[in-house]
Amino acid sequence: MSLIPFDAREGTIWYDGVMVPWKDAKIHVLSHGLHYGSSVFEGERAYGGRIFKSREHAERLLRSAELLDFRIPYTADEIEAAKDLVLRTSGLTDAYLRPVAWRGSEMMGVAAQNNTIHLAIAAWEWPSYFDPETKMKGIRLDIADYRRPDPRTAPSTSKAAGLYMICTISKHRAENKGYADALMLDWEDNVAECTGANVFFVRDGVIHTPLADRFLNGITRQTVIELARRRGIEVVERRILPAELEGFSECFITGSAAEVTPVSEIGPYRFVPAALTKTLMDDYTAEVQPKAVAA
């Protein structure tokens, strides 16, 4: 991956309905979204020139904004069209896309009812979240100190930028200890998710995954559950205690960036990436590829 800072790259970014030079896509330092976390975003991938589940991502972006009490001034159709324009303009066929919406700078204080809502969309080349060699061996996860918040304290089902503050801290701490990422628990000490991905476990041919009512129900998560059920694999969504990890044979995480990535270790617990995980990795790869249109 390029080491060029993101604010120094070449290209164009869709910004409030206009394609602007990459280096000119700026906000003021007194923007509300920067100071108070009034920002939502999406992470999406395009494969072969097609944005995977673009509609679902556009609709989730709108819902996330509503949960933060603001309305993005574009429809899902308009957001999809803008993403397609960005992808075409970038000249990329396989790419990562980042739509982001935030409150502007008209008011600077906790209340910002009259601030303009901005939307920007960028695309860039981003290979697999983890390098292929590491991915096939299974990544190592630490167990984070911070918990995912009680839904009564934060809009936990939105993809709100502020909710990722403890994810950044947790991932940094994990990386500093030699891990690839960290597993986070919820406020009741149940298994929740990783810092930017959902988690799945396998025992006796059955998939177990935390019930996604206390954190983001990932679009990739939903896709993988559907793929598993197509194959007749049982998927159980439930509360999972950390002590149960010892009884699982396989583990993998899912996300637009991570795709389907095997896990070999979570703290003191060990897993062996095996057939079921590999099957879902292959099924997901096939699912995201654009389908040929019959003549």
Side-chain angles (χ1 to χ4, degrees), residues 9-23:
R9 299 189 180 196
E10 298 298 327
T12 53
I13 290 176
W14 190 95
Y15 194 127
D16 287 346
V18 179
M19 295 297 292
V20 302
W22 190 285
K23 295 178 182 179

Side-chain angles (χ1 to χ4, degrees), residues 178-230:
Y179 294 94
D181 201 351
L183 178 72
M184 305 187 77
L185 308 180
D186 67 20
W187 83 99
E188 292 183 323
D189 288 341
N190 298 296
V191 173
E193 60 177 346
C194 293
T195 62
N198 295 120
V199 64
F200 292 79
F201 304 94
V202 178
R203 182 172 61 206
D204 298 330
V206 176
I207 294 175
H208 299 256
T209 191
L211 189 62
D213 60 349
R214 300 177 170 188
F215 50 85
L216 194 70
N217 182 8
I219 290 172
T220 307
R221 174 187 185 274
Q222 296 171 49
T223 301
V224 169
I225 289 174
E226 179 185 346
L227 291 171
R229 288 176 172 160
R230 280 186 207 168

Side-chain angles (χ1 to χ4, degrees), residues 289-294:
Q289 296 302 323
K291 306 299 187 292
V293 178

